[in-house]
């Protein structure tokens, strides 16, 4: 029997490539007493059969940073450990077969330049020059990345494991974790089995790197790790005479990727309707394959033979079907699980585990070392997952779609089609009856836009103006010039109460919360570096109670942040999101509508901007908050779920006299960007300093110590290194989404953090950070700005103040 220690600083559960990477990076940071337990042999779950494609470009700057790090790491591992990783930079080509896909690729290429990735847009002829075996019929263009590559997945993992061992980690195989012991919100140790032997390791923390067993291990640890194994298919041809090293080739419109390997072609697929396998993975699973299903793979193979004619004459050497784990949103899980205070997760890599593992392991290790994220990891932070997403049936249904989404067109606003309808607001039926077209966020069904009578109430996707463009323009016009109403019930509502509520809020948030009852404070929760962990409003409900309103997607993360900072404060934190419906009544006639349905006083004297009051509404009761995310006079109407339908009927009926228009989330996004309002997760993140985000007005450094105070004062002394600017394209035709490069006097200096169309201001708009160290605001604005839209530079107007109503006169009228 292998000698297994009785105590460890950390136990890593799972010996695939990500578990080995976490062990490698923790020991690189000097950690001792690192133990990795693998139930069978290293790599025997899914790592061993991975295709080994290693790409640099991901959907965001930080995910790209991590992928680039993986490449650099794998390039040096062989020298460090003596284990051959098979890593080679052979380049990659992705080809488009439609104009829409070409625009997607060219937008990605522009984004790559902003992220510092070498990329080249190429014509069909240039595709043929670089990949002579490809039939380019129907090819509309492509992109080439010369530093992309491929490697040997198993040996990369074994090299990482060897590197960890060389620095003292214990990597123990054939040892299954049979139980996890807990006390309160902490794990105290793990039970193990090794054949007939059993034992226990006491530990300070664990890392769930269990791959497709991650859901099961999560449940043992009391945490939610939503993922599901799917069947993933590829074939390997017989040797093809004369075939030499070629770039990795992706043809997403045919769901296929191609890799040359030792004179053979590996053809893999990400088909649109996948085959879920199972959640309860057999205990004996080790280097196993799943049954062949040639009928399922045949459509991909038929297209591939036409696309790569050499395959028609090559025999099939291997038909492989093996499991891979997929998450509900196609992003992997990383970070500290919200349910526990010492359970970390790195799992669910959606078939991109090899290219992700190096960077993900580095980021997680640094997070564990410092106790805070090294940079924004919101894309993959496990706290984005909602509790219901661990539901087994939900995971199975969603996994049929998520595998194929890797190669589907990544259209703006594309909605998931499977496992829908789980979370509905109290107004769901009424909104559908009035033409609402629903989108989904964090499981919530939300009205994104409203179809006109006779118009098909569904999306028709495109990179150009989509079928809802004019609908949203009308909704924006209603809010700007008259009256609109939209459903905000999905936004998180967290009640904080207790005798220390004020002191606690003043510790965890940057604002001043010792305010009169009924006052609303717009504020941020900061981290020790001055970055923004949450962007919320806080309403004082009583002397001992506050309501914290959060974005829908970050409710769990924001609640978890507060819980982890309770310390000795005597407070109770409760999620009350589902208890109230919320209707936002916005526009110049908002006061007229409320006065028509309530006897209460909505004047500036009685209910000024930034205050709340309890009111009578129709035959019932409500609470109104005078705030806005669209930059107009308006109120958010909070009503208990039992009276929500009555509130909607009352407001909607009375609103007909004033020309009330129902609006959706797309309208809200277009209106907020005209006003320069920040969007958490895009414009403001944990790595964006609150002062550089232009939100210093919301931070009150004159109060006693709060999280981030020192960093705010330090930045004030040092000066800003970047500023968040608002941009509007001078040409009204192009559209902006996010990540488009910002050019200042002809040079790329950043990228848009968010984008949408400014229907009232007449052009696409975006927000983005521009470096400004040592410069005044006037100097920053005196430059010439352009935005790169799919390779075309478009002149842009830049501003530090909101281009719409810069003095905020309209919201206070």
């Amino acid at each position: 029997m292998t000698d297994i220690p009785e105590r460890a600083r950390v136990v890593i559960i799972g010996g695939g490539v990500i578990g080995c990477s976490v062990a490698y990076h923790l020991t690189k940071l000097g950690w001792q007493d690192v133990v990795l337990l693998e139930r069978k042999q290293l790599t025997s779950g899914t790592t061993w059969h991975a295709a080994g494609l290693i790409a640099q470009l991901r959907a965001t700057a930080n995910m790209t940073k991590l992928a680039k790090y993986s490449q650099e790491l794998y390039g040096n591992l062989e020298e460090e450990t003596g284990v051959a990783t098979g890593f080679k930079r052979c380049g990659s080509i992705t080809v488009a077969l439609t104009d829409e896909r070409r625009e997607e690729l060219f937008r990605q290429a522009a984004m790559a330049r902003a992220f510092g990735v070498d990329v080249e847009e190429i014509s069909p002829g240039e595709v043929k020059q670089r990949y002579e075996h490809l039939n380019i019929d129907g090819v509309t263009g492509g992109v080439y990345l010369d530093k992309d590559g491929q490697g040997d997945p198993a040996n990369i993992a074994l090299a990482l494991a060897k590197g960890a061992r060389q620095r003292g980690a214990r990597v123990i195989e054939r040892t299954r974790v049979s139980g996890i012991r807990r006390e309160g919100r902490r794990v105290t140790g793990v039970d193990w089995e090794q054949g007939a032997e059993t034992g226990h390791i006491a530990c300070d923390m664990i890392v769930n790197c269990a791959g497709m067993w991650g859901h099961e291990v999560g449940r043992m640890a009391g945490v939610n790790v939503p993922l599901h194994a799917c069947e993933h298919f590829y074939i390997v041809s017989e040797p093809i005479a004369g075939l030499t090293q070629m770039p990795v080739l992706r043809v997403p419109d045919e769901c296929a990727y191609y890799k040359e390997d030792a004179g053979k072609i590996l053809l893999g697929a990400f088909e649109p309707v996948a085959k879920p396998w199972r959640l309860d993975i057999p205990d004996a699973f080790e280097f196993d394959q799943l049954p062949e299903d040639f009928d399922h793979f045949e459509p991909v193979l038929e297209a591939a033979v036409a696309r790569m004619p050499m395959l028609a004459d090559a025999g099939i050497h291997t038909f492989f079907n093996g499991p891979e784990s997929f998450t509900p949103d196609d992003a992997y899980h990383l970070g500290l699980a919200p349910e526990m205070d010492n359970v970390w997760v790195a799992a669910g890599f959606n078939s991109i585990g090899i290219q992700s593992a190096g960077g993900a392991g580095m980021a997680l290790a640094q997070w564990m070392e410092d106790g805070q994220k090294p940079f924004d990891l919101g894309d993959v932070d496990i706290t984005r997952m909602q509790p219901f997403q661990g539901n087994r049936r939900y995971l199975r249904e969603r996994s049929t779609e998520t595998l194929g989404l890797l190669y589907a067109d990544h259209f703006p606003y594309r909605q998931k089609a499977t496992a829908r309808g789980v979370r509905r607001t109290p107004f769901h039926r009424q909104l559908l009856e009035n033409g609402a077209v629903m989108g989904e966020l964090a499981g919530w069904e939300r009205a994104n836009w409203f179809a006109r009578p006779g118009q098909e109430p569904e999306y028709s996707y495109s990179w150009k103006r989509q079928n809802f463009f004019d609908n949203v323009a009308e909704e924006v016009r209603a809010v700007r010039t008259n009256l609109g109403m939209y459903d905000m019930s999905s936004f998180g509502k967290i009640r904080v109460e207790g005798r220390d509520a004020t002191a606690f809020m003043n510790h965890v948030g940057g604002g001043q919360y010792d305010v009169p009852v009924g006052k609303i404070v717009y504020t941020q929760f900061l981290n020790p570096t001055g970055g923004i962990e949450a962007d919320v409003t806080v309403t004082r409900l009583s002397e001992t109670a506050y309501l914290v309103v959060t974005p829908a997607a970050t409710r769990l993360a924001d609640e978890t942040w507060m819980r982890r900072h309770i310390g000795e404060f005597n407070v109770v934190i409760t999620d009350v999101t589902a208890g109230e419906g919320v209707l936002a009544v916005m526009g110049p006639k908002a006061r007229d509508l409320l006065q028509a349905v309530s006897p209460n006083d909505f004047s500036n004297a009685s209910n000024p901007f930034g205050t709340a009051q309890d009111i009578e509404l129709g035959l019932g009761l409500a609470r109104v908050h005078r705030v806005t995310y669209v930059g107009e006079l308006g109120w958010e109407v909070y009503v208990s779920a039992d009276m929500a339908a009555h509130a909607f009927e009352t407001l909607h009926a009375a609103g007909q006299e004033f020309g009330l228009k129902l609006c959706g989330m797309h309208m809200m996004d277009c209106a907020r960007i005209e006003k320069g309002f920040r969007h958490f997760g895009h414009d403001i993140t944990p790595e964006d300093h609150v002062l550089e985000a232009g939100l210093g007005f919301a931070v009150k450094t004159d109060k006693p110590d709060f999280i981030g105070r020192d960093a705010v004062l330090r930045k004030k002394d040092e000066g800003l290194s970047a500023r968040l600017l608002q941009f509007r394209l001078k040409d009204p035709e192009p559209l902006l989404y996010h990540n488009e490069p910002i050019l200042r006097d002809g040079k790329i200096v950043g990228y848009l953090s968010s984008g949408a169309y400014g229907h009232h201001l007449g052009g696409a708009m975006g927000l983005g950070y521009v470096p400004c160290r040592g410069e005044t605001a006037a100097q920053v604005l005196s430059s010439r700005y352009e935005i790169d839209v799919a390779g075309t530079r478009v002149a842009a107007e830049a501003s530090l103040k909101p281009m719409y109503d810069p003095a905020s006169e309209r919201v206070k009228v």
Side-chain angles (χ1 to χ4, degrees):
M1 186 186 95
T2 304
D3 181 32
I4 298 177
E6 294 182 355
R7 162 143 204 96
R9 183 176 182 186
V10 59
V11 174
I12 299 165
I13 303 171
V17 68
I18 183 58
C20 295
S21 179
V22 172
Y24 173 91
H25 286 95
L26 285 174
T27 56
K28 196 171 184 180
L29 290 171
W31 282 41
Q32 301 297 311
D33 301 321
V34 173
V35 174
L36 185 154
L37 300 180
E38 163 53 43
R39 49 184 291 283
K40 297 293 185 181
Q41 276 183 258
L42 295 180
T43 79
S44 63
T46 62
T47 297
W48 71 279
H49 65 70
L53 309 185
I54 302 171
Q56 303 172 81
L57 184 59
R58 306 303 306 151
T60 64
N62 282 343
M63 292 301 101
T64 299
K65 181 194 302 183
L66 295 184
K68 288 176 71 175
Y69 172 86
S70 293
Q71 276 207 349
E72 292 155 11
L73 173 67
Y74 301 160
N76 299 325
L77 264 182
E78 187 169 340
E79 181 180 345
E80 177 187 345
T81 65
V83 178
T85 62
F87 176 67
K88 47 192 173 185
R89 283 196 166 99
C90 54
S92 79
I93 296 172
T94 303
V95 301
L97 303 183
T98 67
D99 291 340
E100 292 282 10
R101 179 74 74 173
R102 181 179 61 187
E103 172 144 3
E104 176 184 326
L105 294 182
F106 284 13
R107 280 179 175 268
Q108 288 178 340
M111 178 180 76
R113 284 189 286 273
F115 296 169
V117 173
D118 293 333
V119 64
E120 188 179 347
E121 298 96 327
I122 54 179
S123 67
E126 292 168 320
V127 170
K128 184 71 172 178
Q129 289 174 10
R130 286 184 164 92
Y131 209 105
E132 60 180 305
H133 309 295
L134 187 70
N135 171 8
I136 61 169
D137 288 352
V139 172
T140 57
V143 292
Y144 174 66
L145 289 91
D146 66 336
K147 291 186 173 62
D148 279 2
Q150 60 191 62
D152 180 329
N155 274 5
I156 288 172
L158 295 176
L160 290 165
K162 185 175 181 181
R165 281 194 186 103
Q166 288 172 341
R167 290 189 290 268
R170 300 289 304 278
V171 179
I172 304 170
E173 297 179 284
R174 303 213 169 274
T175 305
R176 187 176 80 90
V177 172
S178 57
I180 298 174
R181 300 189 193 179
R182 295 180 267 157
E183 289 183 8
R185 287 179 57 87
R186 297 190 67 83
V187 158
T188 60
V190 302
D191 299 323
W192 55 262
E193 296 175 353
Q194 192 181 77
E197 301 286 337
T198 62
H200 178 77
I201 304 175
C203 61
D204 297 336
M205 64 194 78
I206 65 171
V207 189
N208 179 352
C209 298
M212 58 185 173
W213 290 270
H215 185 268
E216 175 189 343
V217 170
R219 292 202 168 204
M220 290 167 60
V223 304
N224 181 34
V225 184
L227 54 80
H228 198 288
C230 285
E231 301 183 25
H232 180 52
F233 300 86
Y234 61 74
I235 63 164
V236 180
S237 73
E238 296 285 0
I240 298 174
L243 185 65
T244 57
Q245 181 66 63
M246 302 292 293
V248 171
L249 175 69
R250 297 177 179 87
V251 188
D253 292 309
E254 293 176 342
C255 311
Y257 61 87
Y258 304 80
K259 180 183 88 163
E260 183 279 331
D261 193 2
K264 306 171 186 176
I265 287 287
L266 182 152
L267 163 67
F270 291 107
E271 66 277 18
V273 181
K275 290 184 68 178
W277 187 39
R278 54 196 299 177
L279 266 179
D280 54 331
I281 313 299
D283 194 49
F285 191 96
E286 180 182 15
F287 297 115
D288 286 348
Q289 299 185 33
L290 303 181
E292 294 181 3
D293 186 346
F294 191 79
D295 289 343
H296 186 78
F297 190 75
E298 188 174 24
V300 174
L301 181 59
E302 285 183 0
V305 168
R307 186 61 55 196
M308 194 83 73
M310 67 166 62
L311 288 175
D313 301 320
I316 296 177
H317 177 273
T318 304
F319 186 103
F320 185 84
N321 178 14
E324 296 272 7
S325 58
F326 287 82
T327 66
D329 62 357
D330 258 346
Y332 55 85
H333 297 323
L334 200 73
L336 188 57
E339 301 89 347
M340 300 290 283
D341 291 333
N342 64 344
V343 176
W344 300 83
V345 179
F349 279 81
N350 303 286
S351 244
I352 57 166
I354 305 304
Q355 69 185 40
S356 303
M362 176 273 289
L364 187 68
Q366 197 64 54
W367 190 348
M368 295 169 70
E369 167 80 358
D370 299 339
Q372 62 186 57
K373 304 177 192 112
F375 38 78
D376 176 39
L377 292 165
D379 295 334
V380 294
D381 190 334
I382 184 74
T383 59
R384 77 189 187 280
M385 287 288 107
Q386 305 301 310
F388 85 90
Q389 291 179 298
N391 176 282
R392 291 173 172 84
R393 182 179 162 197
Y394 168 86
L395 286 169
R396 185 175 182 85
E397 289 191 14
R398 175 56 62 88
S399 69
T400 63
E401 179 181 17
T402 47
L403 180 146
L405 287 178
L406 287 172
Y407 276 15
D409 287 281
H410 299 102
F411 288 120
Y413 313 114
R414 180 167 183 154
Q415 302 297 320
K416 304 289 193 301
T418 56
R420 290 285 299 271
V422 181
R423 305 176 81 185
R424 307 180 191 189
T425 80
F427 313 113
H428 184 79
R429 181 181 59 80
Q430 290 96 332
L431 297 176
L432 284 178
E433 288 172 351
N434 284 278
V437 180
M438 295 291 174
E440 183 242 349
L441 183 73
W444 285 104
E445 296 293 326
R446 313 201 308 174
N448 277 350
W449 58 281
F450 283 80
R452 303 185 192 98
Q455 182 182 9
E456 197 67 34
E458 62 183 37
Y459 281 91
S460 178
Y461 296 114
S462 172
W463 285 96
K464 306 297 186 186
R465 283 161 166 70
Q466 296 190 34
N467 63 324
F468 59 80
F469 186 86
D470 291 339
N471 302 64
V472 173
E474 293 172 2
E475 293 173 20
V476 171
R477 189 177 308 117
V479 166
R480 290 279 182 254
T481 65
N482 188 48
L483 184 62
M485 184 168 75
Y486 57 99
D487 181 7
M488 290 182 60
S489 306
S490 62
F491 283 59
K493 308 171 198 71
I494 304 168
R495 191 176 174 98
V496 179
E497 54 192 323
R499 66 169 182 251
D500 294 339
T502 299
F504 170 71
M505 291 304 305
N506 270 327
H507 168 68
V508 81
Q512 174 56 259
Y513 312 98
D514 191 1
V515 294
V517 172
K519 180 65 179 170
I520 303 170
V521 181
Y522 168 62
T523 192
Q524 290 76 41
F525 298 164
L526 306 180
N527 57 37
T529 63
I532 301 168
E533 293 287 340
D535 184 59
V536 300
T537 62
V538 177
T539 303
R540 188 164 197 174
L541 299 176
S542 73
E543 290 299 320
T544 57
Y546 293 85
L547 185 71
V548 180
V549 177
T550 78
T554 63
R555 193 278 307 164
L556 180 58
D558 298 346
E559 180 184 337
T560 301
W561 179 264
M562 288 193 287
R563 288 190 184 282
R564 291 205 169 117
H565 290 92
I566 285 179
E568 299 302 314
F569 292 104
N570 189 309
V571 293
V572 174
I573 295 172
T574 309
D575 171 29
V576 295
T577 303
E580 292 183 312
V582 185
L583 291 168
V585 177
M586 297 286 155
K589 292 185 180 177
R591 182 178 283 118
D592 296 339
L593 174 56
L594 288 177
Q595 287 175 337
V597 296
S598 172
N600 293 82
D601 184 358
F602 300 94
S603 67
N604 283 337
S606 179
N607 192 181
F609 182 76
T611 64
Q613 64 166 325
D614 292 318
I615 68 165
E616 296 179 12
L617 176 61
L619 303 176
L621 302 173
R623 187 182 66 255
V624 292
H625 295 205
R626 189 174 168 191
V627 290
T628 180
Y629 194 50
V630 295
E632 298 294 341
L633 171 69
W635 283 259
E636 295 172 1
V637 181
Y638 288 71
V639 58
S640 59
D642 58 331
M643 290 184 268
H646 171 68
F648 180 91
E649 292 163 359
T650 301
L651 287 163
H652 191 245
Q656 301 312 301
E657 176 187 345
F658 303 101
L660 173 71
K661 189 169 189 63
L662 294 177
C663 304
M665 293 292 105
H666 293 333
M667 177 285 298
M668 186 179 75
D669 193 38
C670 293
R672 71 92 194 167
I673 207 164
E674 291 186 324
K675 191 68 173 72
F677 287 149
R678 281 61 171 147
H679 185 287
F680 186 82
H682 286 96
D683 308 313
I684 47 178
T685 73
E687 69 177 281
D688 298 315
H689 197 285
V690 66
L691 298 187
E692 293 177 343
L695 298 174
F697 67 89
V699 182
K700 309 303 179 186
T701 54
D702 57 349
K703 69 176 186 175
D705 189 39
F706 59 90
I707 302 169
R709 182 176 185 268
D710 291 346
V712 172
L713 294 174
R714 196 161 51 245
K715 179 65 72 173
K716 284 184 175 180
D717 291 339
E718 295 171 354
L720 304 182
S721 56
R723 289 180 182 270
L724 186 62
L725 268 60
Q726 184 185 34
F727 298 94
R728 182 179 65 85
L729 297 186
K730 296 180 180 179
D731 180 347
E733 188 61 27
L735 301 179
L736 298 175
Y737 299 110
H738 62 98
N739 287 338
E740 292 88 353
I742 301 168
L743 294 99
R744 182 180 181 185
D745 297 327
K747 294 182 179 179
I748 293 176
V749 294
Y751 53 89
L752 295 184
S753 48
S754 69
Y757 201 82
H759 290 279
H760 185 78
L761 295 180
M765 307 193 68
L767 298 175
Y769 289 91
V770 171
C772 69
R773 185 172 295 281
E775 291 184 288
T776 65
Q779 288 173 316
V780 172
L781 294 175
S782 65
S783 296
R784 174 175 57 88
Y785 287 96
E786 299 165 295
I787 308 297
D788 182 338
V789 182
T792 299
R793 296 182 177 186
V794 184
E797 174 188 355
S799 178
L800 280 166
K801 294 181 179 179
M803 293 185 188
Y804 181 75
D805 189 23
S808 291
E809 295 170 349
R810 297 179 66 85
V811 303
K812 297 172 183 175
V813 66

